[in-house]
Amino acid sequence: MRKISSIIAICVLLTLLSGCNKADYVENQAYAVMFGVDGDEKGVELTVQLPKLTGDTGGDKGYLITSASGKNFQEALESMRLATPRELNLSELSLIVVSEQLATSGMLPEVIDGLVSNYRLFSSSNIAVCEGSAKEFVSAQEAVIGTRLSEAILALIANSEDLGYIPHARLATLYYDSVSVYSDPMVTFCALSDGGSGGDVQPGDTSPGEISAESDNKNIYMGAALMREGSMTGKLTGLEMLTINLIKGEIEGFSYSSEAISAIITVRGAPSVKIDSSGDKLAISIKLYLSVLPVSKDISTENIAASLKRDIMNVIEICRAAGTEPFGFAERAAAGFLTMDSWLEYDWHARFMEAEIDVEMDLVVVDS
Amino acid sequence: MKLQINRREAHTLSIVLIATRAFMGIAIDGTEYMNSGWACMLLGYVLALPLTIAVDRYARSGANGASILPKIAFAIFGIIALYESAAVLRMLVNTASYCALSTLSTTALTVFLLLCAYYCVSKNGRGCGNAAKLWLCALVPIMLIVIVAQYGEFNAFWLAPAFAPGARGIIEGGIITAGYFSAAAILHMSAEGEYDKRASCFLTLTTGALSGVVLCALRGMLAPAMLYMNNDRLSQLDALLTNGRSSLALQLPLIYAWFTGLITTLIGYVFISARCAVEVMPEADGRLCAAGAVILAFIIAVAGFAESEWVKRAAKWEYIAIALPLLLVLSAKLMRGGVKGAKVS
């Protein structure tokens, strides 16, 4: 009798579980893979790529492009929900693309707030700022290799991250860094390639749209958008981004060429960053530990060190001009302060703009 | 049924209860303490220490006697535990909403959770103590996996500035945490059996508080101090459980650890409120008291009195509300010469 009543009780309790949530059938969901946001003072336009789940996932036939607009992000999202033939589900989103116009307009914080407070959004989505229209960029994205667009996007971004040409930009990290009081975030920069103009520009030292290459893949991710308080204040080329990754210790090696120098550089150890905020002027010293495998003949370590140092100082000046500090120095400097009030009073950004920066190189030439 | 819990069971249940509740209060609800929650917890430990030492002395002294003072004290403790049950229940609903990626029916979910809590409490102190023991056994390997797998994602610089909210903030956080830690004192006061130094209130507090300190420090190293962030629980849970960097594979064990920790805490608070009711009314049936506690917790949670803003306001007074009656009871005993030498098992 006791067992029977226990079984009945469990069955009754199980029915309550259905009160937790209604069942979500995959066939009733429209899983967005890519999400584009365009906007200006007149309003916001959203674009999504949705897999049709028809069995034919090859090429553009397998994906549906839907756009909707509204006076602000929430209204546009509501219109998008109405326009989508199934329940819009953002939990499998691979990439969010924001147009450069919107990113620089000051409207981005509202969009980020709207995105992170969305129940159906996975905050680990990649985020990028694109040159031109986000709608065009999203519409042009295809799975050139493989059949699944979501996997293709993730592989594409992972490849650019490994090369060091883009930052590790996720929606959550952009949001957290924007609302925190340390270093500023960066977002991947992207554009539709027009075939490039060639010339004697170094690979990676152009806008992603001007990359000198021809491919079926027109969506190029290279460089970074510099952000401050949720708005874009400047941009970096792929090579400049690579230099920041070198300072942050986030790459293992890269191919380097500058004027008559050509070498393969490997990182030997984590960079040493020392910050002295005790004096009137902030002092930052950076020391990099690198191995150099010369490709061109007759190059000296002094030449490479001088060239790299010049590149680093150049990137620091670009960031200063944009009013940002994306190097991760602020976190280290904050360790020297006891309270948040004293840290805020120190006015990190103003100090960084006038800081004395010293770059040192510990280079070792290797033969293989 | 006579509702009772022995010292070992009270020890295990209290460790889970105080560590989880303090973590919830400081790391999720206490955004103003930023990444210095660990410092608040350390201060809370220091503040709660005299209480636990006093309770250990109380435990050695034997029965409560017929004095009216302990009854009043237990009535106050019961009300506090009842409110805390509702607060934890609300957090469970928030967590379920976060995991389910949509808003959920509070009523349906709370009924189910409270039935679980009632079932466990109706199995007496042994049921509750063993539930906590099981959770602790599972938590250690889970946390090890999470720490090892996320090793590269922890950033110790995010713990700076060390005392971010300033002296006033740290003291406020310390008092709040001391209130949560004091729940261990209540459970130990009502525990049965002889004093056991391997399950003393001091040991409970030390283990629970230090676990809380470590968990808070780990949480602080996962995301930067976000001064201008939304203070809603959904954002805080996202920062804790996903934070944009945690591997998808780690979310399940993390959510499991957090959710079951909260359920065990709910069970603990429901048990405390029912046990306090029995202390006030010794003739009352334990199951009836547990049922009453569950129904009242449901009413408080559904009526909206356990929303985070209410809970945060109440938390500031919890330490005083527990410490004062406790000290009065102990002082009365001391005045009557009731506290005697320890009988250590």
Side-chain angles (χ1 to χ4, degrees):
Chain A
M1 188 61 199
R2 200 178 165 83
K3 275 186 184 171
I4 292 169
S5 56
S6 297
I7 291 165
I8 292 169
I10 288 168
C11 291
V12 170
L13 288 175
L14 283 175
T15 61
L16 285 170
L17 278 175
S18 63
C20 297
N21 205 4
K22 65 181 170 37
D24 284 341
Y25 296 105
V26 176
E27 291 83 358
N28 293 347
Q29 302 286 306
Y31 288 101
V33 174
M34 230 175 146
F35 192 89
V37 191
D38 286 291
D40 52 27
E41 63 280 358
K42 289 176 195 157
V44 172
E45 185 180 19
L46 305 179
T47 308
V48 290
Q49 271 226 38
L50 306 160
K52 289 179 182 170
L53 300 175
T54 54
D56 175 16
T57 55
D60 55 356
K61 288 177 187 169
Y63 290 89
L64 173 77
I65 310 286
T66 306
S67 292
S69 31
K71 273 187 286 184
N72 53 41
F73 177 76
Q74 288 303 338
E75 282 191 16
L77 189 62
E78 211 46 49
S79 303
M80 175 65 79
R81 286 199 174 105
L82 293 170
T84 311
R86 298 278 189 280
E87 187 181 342
L88 182 66
N89 192 321
L90 302 178
S91 62
E92 298 295 320
L93 206 56
S94 295
L95 177 66
I96 298 159
V97 181
V98 179
S99 71
E100 190 176 352
Q101 187 186 16
L102 184 132
T104 49
S105 69
M107 291 164 68
L108 190 55
E110 180 208 320
V111 172
I112 297 170
D113 276 346
L115 283 167
V116 293
S117 59
N118 194 305
Y119 268 115
R120 291 197 168 270
L121 184 81
F122 181 44
S123 59
S124 299
S125 309
N126 293 284
I127 185 158
V129 170
C130 80
E131 205 172 59
S133 156
K135 182 179 180 178
E136 281 175 23
F137 189 87
V138 169
S139 306
Q141 183 73 65
E142 287 176 22
V144 181
I145 299 176
T147 53
R148 284 173 59 198
L149 184 60
S150 56
E151 285 301 318
I153 293 169
L154 294 177
L156 221 161
I157 287 176
N159 179 48
S160 298
E161 276 182 6
D162 289 345
L163 290 171
Y165 287 124
I166 61 170
H168 187 79
R170 304 286 181 269
L171 175 64
T173 47
L174 168 65
Y175 177 62
Y176 296 160
D177 289 344
S178 299
V179 294
S180 78
V181 286
Y182 303 120
S183 299
D184 298 302
M186 290 176 289
V187 170
T188 303
F189 196 68
C190 57
L192 288 172
S193 167
D194 58 6
S197 53
D200 51 0
V201 185
Q202 283 184 58
D205 207 17
T206 60
S207 152
E210 294 165 351
I211 192 164
S212 183
E214 277 189 35
S215 163
D216 283 347
N217 175 43
K218 301 291 178 200
N219 297 59
I220 306 295
Y221 300 84
M222 193 176 75
L226 295 167
M227 312 296 288
R228 174 89 191 267
E229 291 166 4
S231 290
M232 181 176 162
T233 56
K235 56 185 167 186
L236 301 173
T237 65
L239 275 183
E240 288 158 355
M241 186 58 233
L242 191 123
T243 310
I244 292 189
N245 276 331
L246 180 66
I247 298 170
K248 292 176 89 174
E250 290 182 358
I251 47 169
E252 290 171 3
F254 57 99
S255 171
Y256 183 73
S257 61
S258 171
E259 295 166 2
I261 301 166
S262 186
I264 292 167
I265 294 179
T266 316
V267 176
R268 274 195 292 128
S272 155
V273 177
K274 287 181 184 153
I275 295 168
D276 181 9
S277 54
S278 58
D280 286 342
K281 207 163 188 183
L282 176 70
I284 300 171
S285 63
I286 307 158
K287 190 169 182 181
L288 302 176
Y289 301 90
L290 308 169
S291 297
V292 180
L293 173 65
V295 174
S296 52
K297 287 178 182 173
D298 303 326
I299 57 166
S300 66
T301 52
E302 286 78 19
N303 284 349
I304 296 176
S307 182
L308 275 170
K309 194 173 170 179
R310 206 166 42 243
D311 290 348
I312 290 171
M313 293 310 293
N314 178 43
V315 168
I316 290 172
E317 285 313 316
I318 291 171
C319 294
R320 278 173 162 170
T324 63
E325 189 278 281
F327 304 94
F329 297 149
E331 287 91 326
R332 292 165 190 266
F337 293 80
L338 271 183
T339 67
M340 191 56 83
D341 285 344
S342 59
W343 168 244
L344 292 176
E345 208 174 290
Y346 185 70
D347 196 359
W348 171 257
H349 279 91
R351 301 275 184 158
F352 175 72
M353 298 307 147
E354 292 169 357
E356 280 175 3
I357 298 175
D358 177 48
V359 182
E360 247 187 283
M361 301 280 168
D362 183 340
L363 296 185
V364 175
V365 178
V366 292
D367 53 9
S368 63
Chain B
M1 184 190 83
K2 191 177 186 301
L3 206 60
Q4 53 192 1
I5 189 164
N6 69 33
R7 300 220 170 266
R8 287 288 172 90
E9 289 153 1
H11 172 68
T12 321
L13 185 58
S14 301
I15 289 173
V16 177
L17 187 137
I18 63 171
T20 312
R21 182 64 188 96
F23 185 80
M24 171 187 148
I26 294 296
I28 306 291
D29 281 345
T31 44
E32 58 271 40
Y33 310 116
M34 290 169 265
N35 286 1
S36 303
W38 62 272
C40 297
M41 286 217 189
L42 271 184
L43 181 65
Y45 170 69
V46 173
L47 290 173
L49 208 52
L51 279 189
T52 56
I53 293 168
V55 167
D56 277 340
R57 281 176 67 84
Y58 179 90
R60 292 172 197 167
S61 71
N64 298 331
S67 165
I68 188 73
L69 212 50
K71 285 188 192 292
I72 295 169
F74 275 112
I76 295 168
F77 299 155
I79 292 166
I80 292 169
L82 204 58
Y83 187 70
E84 285 297 337
S85 309
V88 175
L89 196 59
R90 201 69 194 89
M91 178 59 90
L92 273 162
V93 174
N94 295 134
T95 307
S97 291
Y98 172 76
C99 297
L101 303 170
S102 65
T103 43
L104 301 175
S105 159
T106 306
T107 312
L109 197 60
T110 48
V111 166
F112 182 68
L113 290 165
L114 284 170
L115 281 173
C116 288
Y118 171 77
Y119 178 77
C120 201
V121 174
S122 70
K123 295 290 168 194
N124 224 328
R126 179 166 288 184
C128 303
N130 285 340
K133 204 171 187 175
L134 270 175
W135 184 76
L136 277 179
C137 290
L139 181 73
V140 176
I142 285 175
M143 286 315 293
L144 278 176
I145 292 168
V146 168
I147 291 167
V148 170
Q150 293 209 121
Y151 179 73
E153 303 295 342
F154 290 115
N155 184 350
F157 287 115
W158 282 334
L159 291 177
F163 306 106
R168 199 178 163 166
I170 296 283
I171 291 169
E172 189 187 276
I175 292 170
I176 287 173
T177 319
Y180 301 140
F181 287 163
S182 304
I186 304 173
L187 203 54
H188 274 269
M189 263 185 84
S190 58
E192 308 272 332
E194 288 180 355
Y195 172 76
D196 181 354
K197 70 175 177 185
R198 282 172 298 178
S200 67
C201 193
F202 167 75
L203 201 63
T204 305
L205 175 73
T206 307
T207 316
L210 293 184
S211 308
V213 169
V214 172
L215 290 174
C216 249
L218 288 174
R219 157 71 184 84
M221 287 192 281
L222 271 178
M226 292 171 276
L227 212 57
Y228 312 110
M229 190 185 186
N230 292 337
N231 289 339
D232 61 290
R233 284 180 171 171
L234 185 73
S235 305
Q236 296 302 326
L237 285 169
D238 194 57
L240 171 72
L241 301 169
T242 310
N243 69 58
R245 289 189 314 280
S246 294
S247 142
L248 265 178
L250 285 180
Q251 282 181 40
L252 184 65
L254 266 176
I255 287 168
Y256 168 78
W258 174 240
F259 204 81
T260 46
L262 283 175
I263 289 180
T264 314
T265 309
L266 173 69
I267 290 165
Y269 276 122
V270 170
F271 182 86
I272 293 175
S273 38
R275 183 75 184 88
C276 287
V278 172
E279 290 279 356
V280 176
M281 303 170 288
E283 301 305 314
D285 179 69
R287 279 202 186 92
L288 210 62
C289 291
V294 157
I295 291 165
L296 287 171
F298 173 78
I299 292 168
I300 297 169
V302 173
F305 293 116
E307 299 299 314
S308 62
E309 281 310 309
W310 284 79
V311 172
K312 280 165 79 174
R313 256 178 264 159
K316 290 178 184 169
W317 302 99
E318 202 166 307
Y319 177 60
I320 295 169
I322 294 173
L324 274 180
L326 198 74
L327 290 175
L328 278 174
V329 170
L330 289 168
S331 308
K333 274 202 162 287
L334 278 170
M335 277 188 284
R336 289 203 309 271
V339 176
K340 58 194 179 199
K343 189 180 176 185
V344 182
S345 66

